Amino acid sequence: SIEIHVTDDLGETQTLTGEPGGTLMELLRDESSGVEGICGGCAACGTCHIVVDEPWQAGLGEPGMDEQILLEALNERTTGSRLSCQLRLAPEMSGMSLTIVPAEC
Ligand code: FES
């Protein structure tokens, strides 16, 4: 299984355990608070915005076109920003740490 260390907007960190195949958004939506994923994972809503800690950023590869376009529209975008719905859980991610960005209204 894949362990992901997740810090929420209150600064609380918890470790979630997922299985390969699903997306990171689904894990965060189902197991923690703060990620709604209201578009269901089609890179259209931005409510799955996370910031990946620096050592883990490069290994995730570049965002696809749809992800890039939406990220550019997010006010809170920063280095390491990703849409968690566009990241499929894989064994190489185990140990990764990230911070949830609260949805913009
Ligand atoms: Fe909507 Fe990721 S769930 S953009």
Side-chain angles (χ1 to χ4, degrees), residues 42-104:
C42 46
C45 71
T47 62
C48 66
H49 182 192
I50 59 165
V51 177
V52 176
D53 281 8
E54 202 281 327
W56 298 94
Q57 291 167 12
L60 296 177
E62 291 297 308
M65 186 71 79
D66 290 348
E67 182 178 0
Q68 268 179 41
I69 290 169
L70 184 50
L71 283 171
E72 278 163 21
L74 296 173
N75 296 323
E76 308 286 337
R77 184 188 189 192
T78 183
T79 309
S81 280
R82 298 298 299 253
L83 298 179
S84 56
C85 69
Q86 301 301 302
L87 298 172
R88 202 155 280 283
L89 288 171
E92 311 83 75
M93 285 183 190
S94 198
M96 184 167 88
S97 48
L98 62 88
T99 302
I100 293 173
V101 182
E104 297 166 17

Side-chain angles (χ1 to χ4, degrees), residues 3-21:
E3 290 196 343
I4 310 280
H5 307 292
V6 179
T7 303
D8 64 21
D9 58 324
L10 301 174
E12 307 270 346
T13 301
Q14 57 176 324
T15 299
L16 305 182
T17 303
E19 299 300 328

